[in-house]
DNA sequence: CAACCGTGGGA
DNA sequence: TTCCCAAGGTT
């Protein structure tokens, strides 16, 4: 009755954060069941992404596609466009694959089965456990960055990540209660997100301040240890913004594989590590190109990019890409790096 | 197992 | 400015 999980659940009952996809603990205990579609969608969006960034995307997605069946029936380009700006675009491609698999293979109903969930595209160990526990109250243990940090501190584990993950997973599993596993999973993550934060943890008001070994040892601030990251190289490239006299823009849908796969973008050169003689590639259409003032600087997961932006007005026939009518072009459909290139025209630097 | 895969906010 | 990091998955 006074074990660690009970103390944390008591804290969660008082301090649970409100989120559009979350069923508050009081409602849940009154019998309200979470919608597995909304739990799945939110969990995929939350992969490596902050709650603040996800919230507006989640609200737009669920308004436009209220059910997994509606999402499964959507056009690929609409889903990719709606995801634009959120990053990690393989998630959006797998989101559609998963929605269509749910309809085709599971009758449009998410399976209340951890092993079955794990087989679906874009659902890995974390997300399968999150859906199992949060949506279906099955006893599965989520291990995300929050859980890793909280466990490393609670048990004063100094092994660096990612090597420490198996050990931290074992510790997290041992703590998980048989009752309310879904609320418990969310409670540990809320604790990590609000009190047991990476920097300056609020140990003084933490429900686990007494049993926490790292707080006793004075090492909480320094945990978890992480293996150092590799430096990001700088790459260079060129993009071509061609405008037809009727206002249409020349764009292309990128191939499904690789960086920004499946997304709308400007035609351009490869992005290479050579600092001087910047790659120009082959223009996608014959025109009189002129460089825009300024350049696009953007940082991806594993490299920095500096992009030269060329612009031309032309009514020639493109050898690459497709003209998108002015009224059909939404800059918000572009991933951020390409929206920045468009911004050089729409809002020129002073 | 390590590399690849985005973005924006905060320190 | 630069670095870190956020409810990871796939290959």
């Amino acid at each position: 009755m006074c074990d660690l999980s009970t103390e944390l659940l008591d804290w969660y009952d008082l301090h649970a954060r409100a989120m559009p996809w979350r069923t508050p603990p009081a409602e849940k205990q009154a019998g309200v069941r979470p919608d597995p579609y909304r739990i799945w969608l939110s969990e995929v969006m939350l992969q490596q992404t902050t709650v603040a960034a996800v919230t507006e995307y989640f609200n737009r997605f669920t308004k436009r596609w209220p059910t997994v069946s509606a999402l499964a029936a959507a056009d690929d380009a609409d889903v990719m466009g709606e995801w634009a700006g959120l990053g990690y675009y393989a998630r959006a491609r797998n989101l559609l694959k998963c929605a269509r698999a749910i309809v085709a293979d599971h009758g449009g109903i998410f399976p209340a089965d951890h092993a079955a969930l794990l087989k679906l595209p874009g659902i890995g160990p974390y997300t399968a456990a999150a859906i199992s526990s949060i949506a279906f109250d099955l006893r599965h243990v989520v291990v995300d960055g929050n859980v890793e940090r909280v466990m490393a501190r609670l048990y004063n584990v100094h092994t660096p990540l990612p090597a420490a993950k198996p050990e931290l997973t074992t510790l997290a599993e041992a703590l998980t209660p048989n009752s309310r596993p879904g609320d418990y999973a969310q409670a540990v993550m809320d604790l990590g997100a609000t009190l047991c934060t990476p920097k300056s943890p609020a140990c003084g008001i933490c429900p686990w301040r007494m049993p926490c070994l790292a707080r006793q040892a004075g090492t909480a601030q320094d945990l978890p240890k992480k293996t150092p990251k590799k430096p990001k190289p700088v790459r260079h490239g060129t993009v071509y913004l061609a405008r037809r006299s009727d206002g249409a823009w020349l764009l292309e849908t990128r191939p499904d594989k690789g960086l920004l796969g499946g997304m709308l973008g400007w035609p351009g050169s490869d992005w290479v590590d050579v600092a001087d003689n910047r790659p120009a590639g082959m223009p996608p259409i014959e025109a009189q190109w002129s460089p825009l003032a300024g350049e696009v600087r953007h940082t991806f997961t594993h490299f920095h990019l500096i992009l030269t932006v060329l612009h031309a007005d032309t009514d020639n026939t493109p050898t690459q890409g497709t003209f998108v009518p002015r009224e059909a072009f939404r800059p918000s459909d572009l991933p951020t790096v390409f929206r920045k290139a468009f911004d050089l025209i729409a809002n020129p630097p002073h």
Side-chain angles (χ1 to χ4, degrees):
Chain A
M1 195 58 189
C2 286
D3 61 7
L4 290 181
S5 65
T6 303
E7 294 176 34
L8 186 62
L9 281 167
D10 288 348
W11 173 83
Y12 181 72
D13 288 339
L14 291 175
H15 300 288
R17 292 178 292 171
M19 301 170 192
W21 50 86
R22 176 177 279 182
T23 303
E27 282 185 35
K28 205 165 183 183
Q29 292 191 282
V32 177
R33 306 314 316 168
D35 179 351
Y37 168 65
R38 293 165 65 87
I39 298 302
W40 163 71
L41 179 61
S42 67
E43 289 299 341
V44 172
M45 287 183 165
L46 286 162
Q47 290 166 4
Q48 296 290 286
T49 310
T50 59
V51 170
V54 163
T55 298
E56 58 183 307
Y57 281 85
F58 177 86
N59 288 335
R60 280 205 302 269
F61 264 73
T62 52
K63 182 171 184 180
R64 186 165 181 180
W65 301 294
T67 65
V68 67
S69 301
L71 183 61
D75 288 338
D76 291 35
D78 289 338
V79 173
M80 300 311 287
E82 206 65 76
W83 196 278
L86 198 55
Y88 284 142
Y89 298 102
R91 292 184 295 172
R93 303 195 301 274
N94 286 328
L95 192 79
L96 262 174
K97 286 184 194 167
C98 183
R100 289 166 182 165
I102 291 293
V103 169
D105 304 334
H106 298 276
I109 307 292
F110 277 87
D113 180 331
H114 181 267
L117 291 167
L118 201 47
K119 291 177 183 167
L120 291 163
I123 297 183
Y126 165 78
T127 306
I131 298 171
S132 297
S133 61
I134 298 172
F136 298 118
D137 247 325
L138 301 171
R139 189 182 176 282
H140 287 274
V141 182
V142 300
V143 183
D144 74 327
N146 290 304
V147 176
E148 289 173 350
R149 184 171 58 255
V150 170
M151 291 302 129
R153 288 172 175 171
L154 185 59
Y155 294 104
N156 199 28
V157 175
H158 286 244
T159 312
L161 285 166
K165 178 131 186 173
E167 181 181 356
L168 298 173
T169 299
T170 300
L171 293 169
E173 285 171 345
L175 267 185
T176 301
N178 290 317
S179 69
R180 302 180 64 192
D183 281 348
Y184 175 77
Q186 295 176 94
V188 184
M189 294 190 284
D190 268 22
L191 185 71
T194 62
L195 299 185
C196 196
T197 52
K199 303 162 188 173
S200 308
C203 299
I205 56 174
C206 178
W208 281 351
R209 64 188 171 280
M210 294 311 291
C212 182
L213 296 183
R215 188 195 60 77
Q216 295 174 26
T219 56
Q221 185 112 2
D222 307 319
L223 296 177
K225 301 285 192 187
K226 297 195 174 181
T227 55
K229 300 178 178 176
K230 290 186 174 178
K232 299 181 201 288
V234 179
R235 294 182 181 168
H236 295 260
T238 301
V239 289
Y240 295 90
L241 277 59
R243 181 171 49 196
R244 212 164 53 187
S245 54
D246 64 358
W249 290 98
L250 182 59
L251 291 147
E252 65 177 8
T253 299
R254 298 169 63 85
D256 270 351
K257 302 282 183 184
L259 189 70
L260 309 177
M263 297 300 292
L264 193 65
W266 305 110
S269 71
D270 290 336
W271 299 344
V272 299
D273 293 315
V274 190
D276 33 44
N277 76 44
R278 310 203 162 170
M282 181 84 97
I285 189 171
E286 188 181 322
Q288 196 64 40
W289 296 99
S290 52
L292 292 181
E295 60 193 3
V296 169
R297 288 177 175 271
H298 191 75
T299 298
F300 292 101
T301 308
H302 56 292
F303 66 94
H304 302 287
L305 178 66
I306 300 176
L307 220 43
T308 301
V309 183
L310 302 183
H311 169 249
D313 288 298
T314 175
D315 287 330
N316 290 331
T317 300
T319 57
Q320 186 186 154
T322 307
F323 274 106
V324 176
R326 190 179 51 76
E327 64 274 13
F329 172 55
R330 301 191 309 167
S332 64
D333 285 345
L334 296 171
T336 301
V337 64
F338 291 134
R339 188 185 46 72
K340 285 181 179 177
F342 183 71
D343 284 345
L344 282 186
I345 286 192
N347 307 298
H350 297 299

